[in-house]
Amino acid sequence: MHGSRISTCTRRGLAAVVAAGSLLTVLTSATPASAETASAPVGGSKVVCTSKKPGLAPALSRDLAGALDGRQGASAMAVYDRTTKTSCEFKGGTHFDSASVVKVTVLGALLRKAEEAHRKLTPHEVDLTTDMITKSDNDATTALWHRVRPAGVQHFLSLAAMRDTVPGKGGAWGLTQITAHDQLTLMRLLTTDTPVLTEHSRGYALDLMHRVVPEQRWGAPAGAPAGAAVHVKNGWLPREKGGWRVNSVGAFTGSGHDYGMAVLSTGSHTMDYGVDTIENAARVVHRDLAR
């Protein structure tokens, strides 16, 4: 049989590949030996943080719990910091209406579609994406949503490992179901080498998020260090039931900074209340990571 004629060299090569794959699984799934994990309660859930920087995990978990505890409605958040090997989650897998933060996902799906077609964005697509991200223009988003189609959005979500995100039905892109964990996955994707999007595409997306108009630069940037490049996208949506949905995602790079966060909220009686909830948590993250 052909199978019995595999050379010793080939067998050794296959064994090395299997061993390497096993090692990769261990390395990507294991918590670093020197990492510290801490948690703090908020209602019936917990803020859980892990960090390789001594004392940071208990400080962040305690301070974030203090910022979120007692707030009206429901919230969720997720944080990463590559510099200190820190991560935090609070209800990271809970679904929320996306409102306009889904526009970063729509942009990612369009960029991926263009890459697979081996083409650049058209001038019209550049105009639409610029309006969609920097001004949060809904008409531009609707046009791009129909251009990419929910199937194209789902294709991007699958490639990006955003497994819990569910595209809104029909044209209801603002009712896409998102989680803080998936939104943080997207921030990580935009700020690291990945086969999902080229360096040029990632740079394009981050540049648009960096150029969001001043009146929409609230939320995650609250308390950000002066030297950091801020990349943000916010979403806000009032609904008849459940009050305001107010969300913010951000990535912070440059001058030694390399971290991101996603803060989602629902059930606020006003938009300003939801913004305050997000900014209370964001200030804690920026402050504690800077210590």
Side-chain angles (χ1 to χ4, degrees):
M1 295 175 63
H2 291 296
S4 64
R5 297 176 64 87
I6 298 176
S7 69
T8 301
C9 180
T10 301
R11 287 197 298 270
R12 288 174 178 169
L14 290 172
V17 169
V18 172
S22 300
L23 178 60
L24 179 60
T25 300
V26 171
L27 290 176
T28 55
S29 62
T31 300
S34 59
E36 181 179 20
T37 299
S39 64
V42 181
S45 190
K46 291 181 179 181
V47 178
V48 180
C49 296
T50 299
S51 180
K52 292 190 71 175
K53 183 177 180 178
L56 182 55
L60 256 178
S61 59
R62 179 189 63 244
D63 293 347
L64 284 172
L68 296 171
D69 193 28
R71 299 297 294 177
Q72 180 187 48
S75 58
M77 76 175 303
V79 177
Y80 74 83
D81 177 36
R82 292 192 179 99
T83 303
T84 59
K85 303 296 188 294
T86 298
S87 63
C88 292
E89 275 205 9
F90 172 64
K91 296 184 178 179
T94 301
H95 282 99
F96 289 75
D97 292 334
S98 67
S100 288
V101 296
V102 76
K103 293 172 182 178
V104 183
T105 300
V106 176
L107 175 61
L110 176 69
L111 291 170
R112 178 67 193 191
K113 181 177 182 179
E115 288 180 15
E116 291 182 354
H118 305 288
R119 67 172 180 85
K120 297 180 180 180
L121 296 187
T122 67
H124 185 48
E125 287 172 336
V126 169
D127 289 341
L128 289 173
T129 54
T130 300
D131 287 347
M132 176 176 69
I133 300 298
T134 66
K135 301 176 184 178
S136 205
D137 186 273
N138 290 338
D139 290 340
T141 308
T142 297
L144 291 171
W145 181 266
H146 289 310
R147 183 165 301 198
V148 176
R149 300 181 183 277
V153 174
Q154 185 58 61
H155 177 57
F156 175 74
L157 292 172
S158 298
L159 293 174
M162 297 169 66
R163 299 181 181 88
D164 295 325
T165 301
V166 182
K169 295 182 179 179
W173 48 262
L175 297 183
T176 295
Q177 296 301 290
I178 62 172
T179 66
H181 177 83
D182 273 7
Q183 288 300 297
L184 197 70
T185 296
L186 182 55
M187 295 302 101
R188 287 180 184 270
L189 184 153
L190 293 177
T191 56
T192 191
D193 291 338
T194 168
V196 179
L197 291 175
T198 64
E199 181 179 2
H200 179 269
S201 291
R202 297 193 308 273
Y204 181 79
L206 289 171
D207 178 64
L208 292 181
M209 294 173 69
H210 183 62
R211 295 193 285 117
V212 166
V213 294
E215 57 269 27
Q216 294 182 20
R217 296 179 70 81
W218 47 263
V230 173
H231 315 278
V232 64
K233 186 69 195 79
N234 296 321
W236 56 101
L237 175 68
R239 300 199 70 186
E240 291 183 4
K241 294 183 179 180
W244 280 82
R245 280 69 164 157
V246 186
N247 307 318
S248 185
V249 297
F252 306 87
T253 61
S255 300
H257 305 290
D258 190 359
Y259 62 97
M261 71 178 83
V263 192
L264 314 179
S265 73
T266 189
S268 296
H269 63 285
T270 66
M271 177 179 169
D272 286 344
Y273 188 92
V275 172
D276 286 344
T277 297
I278 292 169
E279 293 191 343
N280 288 345
R283 289 189 180 95
V284 165
V285 173
H286 295 303
R287 183 195 68 210
D288 286 4
L289 290 181
R291 287 177 177 174

